[in-house]
Amino acid sequence: MMGVTEKKTMAIDISKMRGKLAQAKGKSTQQAKFWKPQTGTQTIRILPTEDGDPFKSYFFHYGINNESILCPKHNFGEECAICEFVARLYNDKDEESKDMARKLVRKQRFFSPVLVRGEEAEGPRVWGYSKTVYTTLLETVLNPEYGDITDPETGVDIDLRYEKVSGKMYPETTLAFKRSSTPMCSGMTDDECEAILEGVPDFDSLHKRRTSEDVSQLLDAHLSGGETEDKEETVHYANNETKPASSLDDALNSLMD
């Protein structure tokens, strides 16, 4: 049997301990900066994440007291009162009920951590995009000519063109992947590069998770015309200003294609 002094141990991660202490005191250790492309072409680099999945997908319900609510059912496999209510509305078959159901039904959103070239000093930011862009990104990383586009040394930058097209409701995003690799931290010191990687947000804590009971209470309050204590929601814009959202659905849609 291995003696106490012979056991292999791992030193305490002091940075994690600081984060835990800050969290226990009610302080956030990171404030994610949401980024929206500007009209025209900009170059970005999708950053690697600790779990190896930089392409995040979440389901939200909007329109409940102006809040964006993570769907307990489609994100976590738990009961969701809003999904059940939406199903009943669709079953009513009248147009008014169907219209309300369409507003409340869960909507899928996609996010990735990015570094915007020319704005590296801003650090990692969160880019929200459409399912079309999501599919393009997945197809590219599965293409052996590209592979891991987020690799700090052998990955590639992306030229992103964002433009409004006449006759279409939302702007279009076109991605052009560089043919040659570019070091993620080109022109940076080792410390600056490490700060970028450590600054990638924890997506599990990026959006507030509520229990099934909490969601049920929010729905009841909404249907009865009441308000909840945490009703006011904040939307992060490209310049990282924060503004109350009168319509979360419209606000988050503005981050998409």
Side-chain angles (χ1 to χ4, degrees):
M1 180 180 296
M2 183 180 292
V4 174
T5 58
E6 296 175 342
K7 289 183 179 179
K8 292 183 178 179
T9 59
M10 182 175 291
I12 289 178
D13 187 327
I14 297 300
S15 63
K16 286 185 178 180
M17 298 307 105
R18 289 196 186 102
K20 286 177 178 289
L21 179 59
Q23 191 173 43
K25 290 182 176 180
K27 299 178 181 178
S28 174
T29 57
Q30 58 178 217
Q31 180 182 4
K33 298 179 181 179
F34 284 79
W35 175 74
K36 178 182 176 180
Q38 302 300 307
T39 300
T41 300
Q42 45 253 281
T43 302
I44 64 171
R45 178 63 163 259
I46 296 182
L47 300 172
T49 56
E50 288 188 0
D51 63 0
D53 178 11
F55 313 115
K56 305 298 184 182
S57 168
Y58 297 96
F59 290 91
F60 294 90
H61 292 288
Y62 302 107
I64 303 294
N65 286 335
N66 287 335
E67 294 190 52
S68 57
I69 300 173
L70 281 173
C71 176
K73 179 178 180 180
H74 290 88
N75 289 306
F76 313 113
E78 301 170 357
E79 292 184 3
C80 176
I82 302 176
C83 285
E84 294 172 1
F85 181 61
V86 166
R88 292 199 300 271
L89 288 172
Y90 275 123
N91 287 334
D92 285 344
K93 300 187 186 304
D94 66 88
E95 287 306 313
E96 186 177 351
S97 294
K98 288 182 179 179
D99 184 58
M100 187 177 185
R102 283 190 286 268
K103 292 177 181 177
L104 296 180
V105 71
R106 90 280 183 192
K107 296 176 176 65
Q108 193 173 19
R109 301 301 189 220
F110 306 91
F111 304 91
S112 287
V114 296
L115 189 66
V116 181
R117 292 305 190 189
E119 302 176 12
E120 286 88 349
E122 293 289 332
R125 286 136 104 182
V126 177
W127 171 39
Y129 47 86
S130 68
K131 188 173 184 178
T132 300
V133 172
Y134 177 71
T135 301
T136 299
L137 290 168
L138 292 180
E139 289 175 344
T140 301
V141 299
L142 292 175
N143 182 339
E145 290 189 14
Y146 285 100
D148 186 358
I149 61 175
T150 73
D151 186 276
E153 296 298 328
T154 62
V156 297
D157 288 353
I158 304 170
D159 284 337
L160 184 158
R161 182 162 183 78
Y162 188 77
E163 58 186 343
K164 295 181 179 180
V165 180
S166 178
K168 293 191 176 182
M169 183 178 297
Y170 298 112
E172 284 191 352
T173 297
T174 305
L175 304 181
F177 297 84
K178 301 286 190 180
R179 300 301 299 182
S180 58
S181 298
T182 304
M184 185 189 78
C185 297
S186 179
M188 301 182 197
T189 66
D190 289 345
D191 287 344
E192 289 172 335
C193 188
E194 185 176 353
I196 292 291
L197 292 172
E198 290 183 351
V200 173
D202 174 13
F203 279 79
D204 288 339
S205 61
L206 188 60
H207 306 288
K208 182 177 181 179
R209 178 175 177 177
R210 294 178 171 90
T211 65
S212 295
E213 291 75 15
D214 290 338
V215 171
S216 181
Q217 290 175 7
L218 285 166
L219 177 62
D220 289 343
H222 174 72
L223 295 177
S224 64
E227 297 182 359
T228 57
E229 291 183 359
D230 59 349
K231 174 178 179 290
E232 184 174 0
E233 189 76 13
T234 298
V235 176
H236 298 257
Y237 290 82
N239 59 2
N240 206 40
E241 292 180 356
T242 57
K243 303 177 182 179
S246 58
S247 171
L248 257 292
D249 202 0
D250 291 342
L252 284 195
N253 269 329
S254 74
L255 294 175
M256 306 297 152
D257 264 0

